[in-house]
Amino acid sequence: MADSPTPLPEGSSAIFRGRKPRSAQQENQSAADSEMMRRLSGGDEASFSAFYRRFAPGLFSMIYQILQDQKESEDVLQEAFVQMWKKAAGYDAERSSLFTWAVMISRNKAIDRVRSRQRRFRTAEAAAVEVEAVPPETGGSAGDLMEQSEERKRVRSALSQLPGAQREAIDLAFFSGMTQVEISSKLGAPLGTVKARIRRGLLALREVLDPTS
Amino acid sequence: MMNEELEQQASLYALGLLEGEENSAFGAQLAANEELRAFVDAMQETAAHLAYGTPLRQPPAHLESRIRAAIHTEPTTITHRSTSLNWLPWALAAGLAVASVFLLADRAATKKELAELRSRNAFAQLRIATLSSKLSSAPSATGVVVWDAEKQEGVLKVANVPATEQDQDYQLWIVDPDYKQPVDAGVFAVDAKGAKKILFKPKAKITAASAFAVSLERKGGAPKAEGPMVLLGK
């Protein structure tokens, strides 16, 4: 690694200078989500139902991927929704989408559980299972389910376009609960290399998922 | 200005991979750099999509009602606005009495008193931090925090801090390496003399308070630090 920070090629840092303007559709969704969370924080049951049914399947899937245990995943999903309910009034649509907000809170809960158990993440190969065609139990709307299915396909396609080393690094970084040093040891790569792969992997993923960025 | 190293740190921060001092230091940088915050937010948005890459697994049907029941049994959200200081927990009051002297008197002598205070069992859980000004326009602004880790509450006293506009508030943050973002500990406004004393309770449980910061935010506060840093101390 260079001794002094490497400045980015001219123009590349412009991507992140300030915040990317949102489309009209994104603005409408953002406004609707803010209103839903405002009502939810006020105790509105219908808003809670809508929030739960829209996000619970995706969050549970992610939590299970991290914990690999049904009962613990149920417990963590409960902890996550309780915390999201507590923080609902503070949700700021200007800073993140509701999806990202929910994912990060839930992921943190799951990672905390992993670290408290000191269980190690199985390799991506060992944990990979075929997509389960599970009929919806939680009554999410057909529109929500279709949207999630399409988004899943889009993300899987994007991930498949990443170099294997980058995909592996961000996979471990996001799901395993390992520290940087542990990931480096697991991959048998220097720490600096792992950090670079994570950075490049996230940037490349962002580029594929949102070319306008 | 962004560079590769900063982007790298930001990517790790967005994934919760920074720890300890590295995390605290980056958190402090984040509080003062809007471009950096925008980058971290963008990386988190991207990382969150990884959740869609997992096999779909439905939660059991009964879980929704179980979660509703858990929420209904939660205590009422604690307000994090400043509360009346007619009564302060005695440990905080004692700690503040000593720490306040630090603002005015000989630092060396007061440091010795503080060390002695901490050595007594009754004060072992207290953390005392002095905050120094980050405002070039108000170099004499200062503050002191007495933090009770056991009770998860503290007291902040500030002096010589400029008055805010009507649509602004000062907001206290606690930097805890366990959290990606500094934890909100409440808003306050100073009096005509630029002073204020508040009792605060953070919005989340603090495992280890590595730093305390005050920023200038919109009225009512912000969920994440957005405005300029005013005071900072460890």
Side-chain angles (χ1 to χ4, degrees), chain A residues 156-194:
Chain A
R156 285 182 178 226
S157 170
L159 284 169
S160 69
Q161 295 177 49
L162 295 185
Q166 290 177 13
R167 189 171 62 244
E168 199 173 19
I170 61 175
D171 207 52
L172 285 175
F174 190 81
F175 290 107
S176 74
M178 290 183 182
T179 63
Q180 299 175 46
V181 171
E182 288 168 344
I183 294 173
S184 168
S185 174
K186 173 84 177 175
L187 296 177
L191 184 58
T193 301
V194 168

Side-chain angles (χ1 to χ4, degrees), chain B residues 45 49 59 86 107 121 131 134 185 191 213:
Chain B
E45 290 279 350
H49 280 80
N86 289 334
R107 290 193 171 198
N121 282 342
L131 313 184
K134 293 296 167 190
D191 62 23

Side-chain angles (χ1 to χ4, degrees), chain A residues 5-133:
Chain A
T6 309
L8 295 171
E10 191 177 313
S12 56
S13 64
I15 293 172
F16 298 105
R17 204 168 284 137
R19 296 185 182 277
K20 189 169 76 87
R22 293 188 284 199
S23 66
Q25 186 184 7
Q26 287 172 324
E27 286 290 351
N28 289 340
Q29 183 67 60
S30 174
D33 287 345
S34 292
E35 178 59 17
M36 178 177 67
M37 297 310 283
R38 187 191 65 78
R39 282 192 256 112
L40 187 154
S41 69
D44 182 64
E45 295 284 348
S47 294
F48 178 82
S49 282
F51 178 63
Y52 181 85
R53 290 171 188 194
R54 184 169 147 200
F55 290 108
L59 295 177
F60 188 73
S61 304
M62 175 191 67
I63 291 168
Y64 186 84
Q65 180 74 1
I66 293 171
L67 295 175
Q68 296 293 309
D69 183 286
Q70 177 74 15
K71 185 182 181 311
E72 285 209 291
S73 299
E74 292 176 19
D75 291 345
V76 168
L77 187 71
Q78 176 176 320
E79 289 174 18
F81 268 94
V82 169
Q83 184 166 15
M84 287 189 280
W85 168 78
K86 285 180 180 177
K87 289 172 170 272
Y91 167 65
D92 182 0
E94 292 297 313
R95 297 305 300 268
S96 73
S97 67
L98 187 55
F99 168 73
T100 295
W101 183 82
V103 163
M104 287 306 173
I105 287 174
S106 304
R107 176 183 171 261
N108 287 345
K109 286 290 182 190
I111 296 295
D112 284 347
R113 184 66 71 101
V114 167
R115 289 175 177 167
S116 71
R117 284 187 324 198
Q118 297 185 335
R119 181 182 296 187
R120 289 294 172 254
F121 178 65
R122 296 164 203 170
T123 62
E125 290 77 17
V129 295
E130 291 182 13
V131 173
E132 299 168 6

